[in-house]
Amino acid sequence: SVDGASAGLSCLLASIGRLLNLPLASDWIYSATIGDTGELGRVNSVVKKAKGIKSYCPAVQHFVIGNYDTDTSSTIKEIQSLGINVYSFKTIQEAFNTIPIGPFKSIHEAIEHSMEQWVSEKTNSLHQLIENTFLSVLQGFHQIHGWGSLRNMMMRIRNHPDLWNKLSNDAQYKLDITVLIASRYISGKHSDLQSSTCPVLFTNAHLEWLSTCRETERLQILPHMMQQLNELPESILCPEEILALVQSDLPNQNQNWIIPLHLKLAGSWGRYLTTHTNRYKEAYDWQVLCFEQWCNHGFYEQASYPICALLDLSQSLPQHTDHIEDMWRDFAQKPNAKVSQIRRFIPKHWQHKLFGDL
């Protein structure tokens, strides 16, 4: 497998090659981190990597690296002394203007060509791209490395009048929601960014589409919209209507539950009650329901979300503290509970009580 921050640019380019159905040049190699807003950064031991390339990949003639600030010039010279051409870029867009792909001189040129093909073709490859990206984003994954890169590609399609007009209404709304979710992830990692960095807003037209789309799609989208209200509220122009739609879709005893989807929606509603109202007992009941149902169905990793929410709620509901602690200790014994990974999300007032001095 290939992982780690230094594989960021390589993963991005591989994803783009797959999306465009074009091969990357065999005599180019890449090693740079990617920030959520598109900046390329340094990686560790880049000169050692260059020496390894020279020894084991003699056909490689071009090496792309990120920005090394004041060390950029000396780093380039050291790698060039090995007989390798070096290119240092500060942003993805700079790299796209230089890196070749397939028969094209640059990725930028290849993307422009692909857009022209999408305009003229009669197949639905563009719709498939948007659908696949939309479904991945609903699960919290970006097909293109970095939420900024994903949002930029979707906005290029949205701002291209011929492509945008070619899309069905369904595809247009899914593209917009993809951009909204990507903007929220970016905002969460870069809280200093202004609200104007969200290029798409959720309007009454989006709400009307959401109200009438397939139930499984709506149940996946609504938890994200609740998160938008929490983290990027200015992106939602009809918050009261969203809340009403959520309440109408909450699970009840008189319906067949779609377990993962209804529980995620119920959890998002419980979090909203905690952060935006003083209805703590109602929030507690929803989170207990989610915790018990996730555990009953063996989704122990998902159960970590309501148990952390319950630990947080205990300060507002001290009468339930003992019950919450019992639920935690039962949860900690479950397979795949991944306690060590979620510990950082546990409120500070519980840390010592649950973990002692560790």
Side-chain angles (χ1 to χ4, degrees), residues 17 54 80 86 154 189 228 235 244 248 268 300 325 341 346:
K54 188 67 176 178
Q80 284 178 333
V86 187
M154 292 297 103
K189 294 185 178 182
Q228 297 287 134
S235 66
S248 70
S268 71
Y300 302 119
E325 183 175 352
Q341 294 183 23
I346 294 174

Side-chain angles (χ1 to χ4, degrees), residues 43-60:
V43 301
N44 294 326
S45 306
V46 69
V47 176
K48 289 183 179 179
K49 291 178 180 179
K51 291 178 180 178
I53 292 168
K54 188 67 176 178
S55 299
Y56 299 105
C57 307
V60 171

Side-chain angles (χ1 to χ4, degrees), residues 45-109:
S45 306
V46 69
V47 176
K48 289 183 179 179
K49 291 178 180 179
K51 291 178 180 178
I53 292 168
K54 188 67 176 178
S55 299
Y56 299 105
C57 307
V60 171
Q61 300 295 316
H62 309 277
F63 190 18
V64 176
I65 62 175
N67 178 30
Y68 282 70
D69 299 319
T70 57
D71 298 328
T72 299
S73 179
S74 60
T75 302
I76 290 175
K77 288 180 180 178
E78 195 168 355
I79 297 174
Q80 284 178 333
S81 69
L82 301 172
I84 301 174
N85 298 314
V86 187
Y87 308 83
S88 174
F89 301 115
K90 293 182 178 181
T91 67
I92 290 173
Q93 291 306 318
E94 288 181 6
F96 280 6
N97 288 330
T98 301
I99 296 173
I101 187 170
F104 301 99
K105 295 180 180 179
S106 70
I107 292 175
H108 176 77
E109 183 181 320

